[in-house]
Amino acid sequence: MRVTRELAEQLGMTESSRRAVSSGVVYQIYPRSFRDTSGDGVGDLPGIAAGVAHLERLGVDGVWLSPIHPSPMADFGYDVADYTDVDPLFGTLADLDRLVAELGERDISLLLDWVPNHTSDRHAWFEASRSSRDDPRRDWYVWRDPAPDGGPPNNWTRHFADEPAWTFDEHTGQYYLHLFLPQQPDLNWANEGVRDAMVGVLRFWLERGVAGFRADVVHLIGKDAALADDPPERIGVPRAGFHDEEITHTYLGQIRDVLDEYEATMVGEVNLPDAARVVRYVGDDRLPMAFYFGLLYAPWERDTWRDVLAYAYTHFDGADAWPVWALGNHDTPRQVTRYGSLARARAAAVVLLTLRGTPFLYAGEELGLADAEVPEDRVVDPGGRDGCRAPIPWDASPTRGWPTADPWLPWPPDTDDHNVAAQEADPDSTLHLYRRLIAARRDSSALALGWFELLDGTADVLSYRRWLDGDERHVHVNFSDEPRDIAAPAGTVVVSTERHREGAPFTGHLGTTEALVVRPTP
Ligand code: GLC
């Protein structure tokens, strides 16, 4: 739903919220796995352009692409070697321009992934930085002398392994900091040159017509100059999961000024467990929006979901901040795999698409895909995330609509039913459920913009209402694997995981793992 300045004013929305809401429902594409046209078994930009009709029919408003820049691929693109170009594996800048145009024709905006915390160790900036202590780029990264015993300068732990966040550079006799792989050195945002260079990167893409960015682990960019040791209870815990420095908000203010010049948006990956900390990254002088991963990490338990939602809205609504929700991404096992059944994943989708806040979908969840089983000799990711990154099957043919039957990762399970063409042909499919939910969200100001309130519900059933002005919807989700009857206001079923119930009166009965949206009788 597009929110004009006038409507935003009427609703008392902050500019940040307006910008966030305007991005509607966003669809994340992992470019290596969406669709291949070149025949090398790796997805590419022309492949994404070829899949645009699927996105249009799904009804999404925005697309976020995981990194497409030149990269040695130590972390599959999250190790960027050049921020202002496209890796030949994915295509060319001209392909990207074409994609922006193709999406634009369908009123779908494009968000790129911006990786501000670290570069590749093969980026020209780092190659210069490590060349000598006197190089002008030395201070663009975080270099420190060894501890007195010759070991790392502090006790921080990197991500993906219980190892120090530091690597010693023989040539210059110092350690450099990397909160992720040694091939991903952290930039030093305290250096003005780094900040200016990164602003230049944003401008480069905004000038080409992208609508904004997803900012990778953006809570990590500010570093306290002392780089003090972590307390003993945190030794061995990756720093990236709790690092949270005040100075980051100052840097984000500078970023926000640039975004505002272009009316662009940005969603921060703020990977902190406490919603109270995450909301601090959102505001008119900070980010327009930030992910909150409370539900992504929640097991399939009604009470946990209720608690996460209650706590999140206390903080987001309290700070006038608009949340961003996701149940899947390229870092996390897929919903079907996590919850143990397709029925639960479908019920979860009803929640995702009816919450107050911008929902992000991860390509393939609309097909009900489970994680691929990846045999040991085909494992490629240092973070163990290959399963959810399996290629998207487009049809049931031996090559699943790709030019090769043997892409870079094995196919997900059950591709006979779980492919775009098969789901398209079956009105009861997960694809059609997602389409109906997105359409229902678009048709209802209560769902798109309205307030959220938990309803009492019965044990095993999560119930809430959304409302705005005269429009109202109720959502009921049966977390149990048995039917349930609840005392709830009567109404008409708008969308259900059981399609045959749509349009019928709602009387309080929920089938096994059923989730539905009800328009209450006025
Ligand atoms: C983010 C990305 C993840 C990547 C990491 C380092 O968490 O989503 O894929 O490995 O940052 O860039």
Side-chain angles (χ1 to χ4, degrees), residues 461-478:
V461 178
L462 171 73
S463 295
Y464 52 85
R465 75 180 186 111
R466 302 283 316 280
W467 80 97
L468 190 77
D469 299 330
D471 190 34
E472 180 158 344
R473 295 288 183 276
H474 295 174
V475 177
H476 305 287
V477 185
N478 180 4

Side-chain angles (χ1 to χ4, degrees), residues 23 54 84 121 131-132 143 159 198 203 262 289 293 305 347-349 377 425 447:
S23 50
H54 172 64
T84 53
D121 62 343
S131 69
S132 125
W143 293 97
H159 213 72
M198 277 302 184
R203 284 189 193 284
Y262 295 84
M289 47 179 171
F293 292 135
W305 282 52
D377 62 343
L447 289 180

Side-chain angles (χ1 to χ4, degrees), residues 241-317:
F242 58 86
H243 182 96
D244 187 18
E245 293 287 341
E246 213 47 43
I247 185 72
T248 297
H249 302 303
T250 308
Y251 301 149
L252 292 179
Q254 188 184 349
I255 297 306
R256 181 54 183 265
D257 290 343
V258 181
L259 297 174
D260 284 352
E261 274 179 50
Y262 295 84
E263 289 232 354
T265 193
M266 183 177 276
V267 53
E269 185 203 12
V270 178
N271 216 334
L272 295 171
D274 188 349
R277 303 304 299 180
V278 176
V279 292
R280 302 187 67 252
Y281 288 76
V282 182
D284 283 350
D285 61 349
R286 300 176 182 199
L287 297 172
M289 47 179 171
F291 281 104
Y292 176 56
F293 292 135
L295 289 183
L296 182 76
Y297 300 138
W300 184 248
E301 289 166 6
R302 181 262 200 186
D303 288 355
T304 309
W305 282 52
R306 227 183 123 83
D307 292 349
V308 167
L309 292 171
Y311 187 75
Y313 286 116
T314 300
H315 290 285
F316 276 90
D317 290 350

Side-chain angles (χ1 to χ4, degrees), residues 75 78 118 160 180 214 216-217 269 330-331 385 389:
D75 189 13
Y78 285 93
H118 43 263
F160 305 138
F180 291 87
R214 174 264 192 183
D216 187 63
V217 288
E269 185 203 12
H330 64 293
D331 294 328
R385 299 161 295 183
R389 297 176 176 183

